[in-house]
Amino acid sequence: MTAYRLLSFQSSDGPRAGVLVGDTVYDAALLTAKPSYTNILGVLNDWAAAKPVLEEVTSTARGKFGKRLSEVKLLAPVLYPSAIYCAGANYSDHVANMARIQNIPNEPDPHELGLHPWHFIKAPRCIVATGDAVELTCEKLDWEAELGCVIGTKARNVPLDKALDHVACYTIGNDLSARDLTARPYIAFQSPFKYDWIGQKVFDGACPIGPWLVPAAEVGDPQKLAIKLWVNDVLKQDSNTSRMIFTAAEQISHLSSRITLYPGDVVLTGTPSGVGAERGEFLKRGDMVKITIEKIGDLVTPIV
């Protein structure tokens, strides 16, 4: 099978779905002769049928009309998912570091307590592409490298052993967080109204995703991937998805017990240790953030 990536790119007619083979981008609808594949959601909504079609056409794509990747303006790969689910406190190394900083006991494995994954939601319009600048509008903007699972078939009450069957592709996400907007001022810490999830997690540019989507079959086991993040070429996060507390499959299974997951929905699976909040260090104007996840690629975000 020829390796390929799915992406969105800017054309003279607006956003289009693309298929990257080698260093060449092909228009997905033209390559497959499927008019509904003009956008990535069209491909994902037809994922069961699209997979064999893409495998067939990408094996003979070379020599057909396309554009070099360097000549194409990449957009966020999914425009736009119906939901972005973000896992909280889901890497053992990150949780241990935060407990040490807060001088509190390290919590036991939540599996031992009968607990389930927990998620918050980002607005789909927070998504930006690799290379897109994010405006600094707070004083403590933090980085969070995350593996993203992109749903390919509708999932509701999915058993654990079938959860990954509903993943079409994997991608990279940066769950940017405004730490200084986490807590509302002048509200008592014991108040249930103290915390501001919109202020902290939902703002323009809060969710860089990309650079593309890699089919799940090419990635293999999502719990065996190196994940790294640099700020201005200084390594800040260096971990592995094996350190997730709740696996990608556990997260998808649990989410599907609460709400139906639809094609194009993105599940960001949590971040490892090394975020700025662990060291009191935050992003500044002019910084460049780069995330690399094994088998997927690089997601780059300039801060302006």
Side-chain angles (χ1 to χ4, degrees), residues 86-88 118 120-123 126 142-144 146 175-179 181-182 196-207 271:
C86 305
W118 69 272
F120 55 91
I121 295 177
K122 285 203 171 196
C126 290
D142 205 349
W143 57 84
E144 295 188 29
E146 309 210 7
D175 175 21
L176 290 174
S177 303
R179 302 293 189 193
L181 302 181
T182 301
D196 180 2
W197 284 97
I198 296 291
Q200 180 185 188
K201 295 288 190 178
V202 184
F203 49 88
D204 288 339
C207 196
T271 197

Side-chain angles (χ1 to χ4, degrees), residues 101-113:
I101 290 164
Q102 297 174 51
N103 196 29
I104 59 175
N106 199 8
E107 295 183 3
D109 186 331
H111 294 90
E112 299 173 2
L113 304 176

Side-chain angles (χ1 to χ4, degrees), residues 34-52:
K34 298 279 187 181
S36 62
Y37 294 1
T38 55
N39 59 68
I40 291 296
L41 284 178
V43 177
L44 294 173
N45 276 312
D46 192 37
W47 186 242
K51 276 199 304 182

